[in-house]
Amino acid sequence: MLVKLTKDRIRKGMFIESVACPSGEFAKRRFILTSDRDLAAIAKSSASDVLINVALGLDAEGRMPEARPSRRRTAPNSAADAQAAEIQKVRNDLDQSRQALKTRLTDMVAGGALDLDDLSAVADSNARTWKDSAVIALEVTRLKSKDETTYVHSLAVSGMMTLLGNALNVDEEMVGVLGVAGMLHDIGKLLIPNEILTKPGELTRAEREVIRSHPEVGYQLLKTYPGIPPMVLDICRLHHEALDGSGYPLGLKQEALNLPVRLSTVCDVFEALTSIRPYKRPWTSKEALHWMFARPHLFDRKMVIRLGSVLVDGPIN
């Protein structure tokens, strides 16, 4: 199904059929939009409208297409078919991981046991999806229903933490623990009253304080489970700290924040900035990375650059 959109509504993950440039300066057509370079070129072009195929990519609301046979095929194994199949596979894989994570976190919040080997297997499966298809995975996880936000956000942060760990050449064992930590870093939010966590309007000061309690609440819960790696506990408790001491809950400064914690902060903030929410437009990957790079008092610049190297085209500094 073809849909015409104004160019300001185009985002990565859409399948571009054609760009209506009067001057013809952007002639590329029939491709899945995955790069910030192409997105910027469309925005700068003379086009006012872009034709997208919602059977092969995101629709106007950022939703992925359901799997169904294409009515028109130029060839049985065309590039468009292959791209659509990859998008659907990533969507299915992430949905399975989301369901698995939701089951395990819900059990923990209810006082159930934690099988670290089992959770590690979920994290490893998620990490493989991000390693193979990072840009598509980022697009698939941008849109979240309010009831699934914590789980999908945790999947995305976990996947990006493993990508960034590998980009920083940390050892394989640490990458595995980073994946688990990403899965568990926001478990405290599941103990926040739902009417506050999913409130559509502006929060009161008291409600903001309740939300800000989630790192400590999650940390106290995880401490009750024997065998939780100290790195996982640190990331759960400290992922909202900032290098200049302006973060929470402890107000720690750079020298007290180890590499895994600084890594988790970069991935957590990046995912939040680029997500679709009812109350804000999603930032592009480059917008988020530029904003973070310009704030070295808050974020580790080396990690921002490395995250950009695995998620966008070209330098971000």
Side-chain angles (χ1 to χ4, degrees), residues 42-78:
I42 293 172
K44 293 176 182 177
S45 74
S46 60
S48 56
D49 299 312
V50 178
L51 195 64
I52 67 169
N53 190 330
V54 298
L56 300 176
L58 297 179
D59 66 10
E61 304 303 320
R63 296 171 299 200
M64 297 297 296
E66 295 296 334
R68 58 180 181 268
S70 177
R71 292 184 178 180
R72 292 196 309 167
R73 295 176 183 266
T74 57
N77 295 307
S78 68

Side-chain angles (χ1 to χ4, degrees), residues 300-314:
D300 187 316
R301 271 187 164 178
K302 177 183 177 181
M303 294 186 183
V304 174
I305 293 171
R306 289 298 179 87
L307 184 62
S309 72
V310 296
L311 292 177
V312 304
D313 298 321

Side-chain angles (χ1 to χ4, degrees), residues 99-152:
Q99 292 179 44
L101 179 62
K102 182 176 182 179
T103 298
R104 286 151 182 79
L105 295 190
T106 302
D107 286 348
M108 291 177 66
V109 170
L114 168 63
D115 184 335
L116 267 176
D117 290 336
D118 175 61
L119 188 60
S120 293
V122 177
D124 288 346
S125 175
N126 182 59
R128 286 192 296 273
T129 300
W130 283 82
K131 181 179 179 182
D132 294 341
S133 306
V135 173
I136 295 175
L138 182 61
E139 292 301 326
V140 169
T141 55
R142 277 188 172 185
L143 182 65
K144 309 168 182 67
S145 70
K146 66 180 182 179
D147 297 325
E148 302 293 326
T149 295
T150 298
Y151 307 110
V152 180

Side-chain angles (χ1 to χ4, degrees), residues 222-233:
L222 292 183
K223 273 180 45 176
T224 65
Y225 288 93
I228 288 276
M231 186 192 307
V232 175
L233 293 174

Side-chain angles (χ1 to χ4, degrees), residues 123-124 126-127 154 158-159 161-162 174-184:
D124 288 346
N126 182 59
S154 297
S158 175
M161 284 173 63
T162 58
M174 181 182 287
V175 170
V177 178
L178 287 173
V180 172
M183 295 278 184
L184 294 172

Side-chain angles (χ1 to χ4, degrees), residues 256-269:
L257 303 173
N258 60 31
L259 182 147
V261 168
R262 300 198 308 274
L263 183 152
S264 70
T265 300
V266 166
C267 293
D268 182 69
V269 172

Side-chain angles (χ1 to χ4, degrees), residues 151 212 214:
Y151 307 110
R212 284 167 63 98
H214 79 267

